[in-house]
């Protein structure tokens, strides 16, 4: 009866169940709202301007590694 009154789960063995953590509000939306959104990426620029001569160091390193 006491568990129903205080909105607790009956746990006579006192094992860890994680209910305390699961009842808390989710932190993901507030953490995601803290950081600014990405406005544009390198791939977006290449897709928007295919004739533009661009240099991607990571892609060049990857291609050099594949040729070895």
């Amino acid at each position: 009866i006491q568990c129903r009154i205080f909105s607790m789960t009956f746990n006579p063995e006192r094992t860890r169940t994680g209910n305390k953590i699961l009842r808390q509000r989710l932190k993901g939306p507030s953490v995601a709202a803290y950081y600014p959104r990405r406005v544009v990426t390198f791939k977006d620029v290449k897709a928007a301007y295919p004739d533009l001569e661009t240099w991607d160091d990571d892609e060049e390193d990857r291609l050099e590694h594949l040729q070895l």
Side-chain angles (χ1 to χ4, degrees), residues 36-49:
R37 294 182 55 186
R38 285 190 176 177
V39 178
V40 67
T41 62
F42 189 76
K43 290 181 181 180
D44 295 337
V45 172
K46 283 180 79 173
Y49 304 103

Side-chain angles (χ1 to χ4, degrees), residues 1 3 33-34 44 52 65:
I1 293 175
C3 291
Y34 177 79
D44 295 337
L52 183 66
H65 184 13

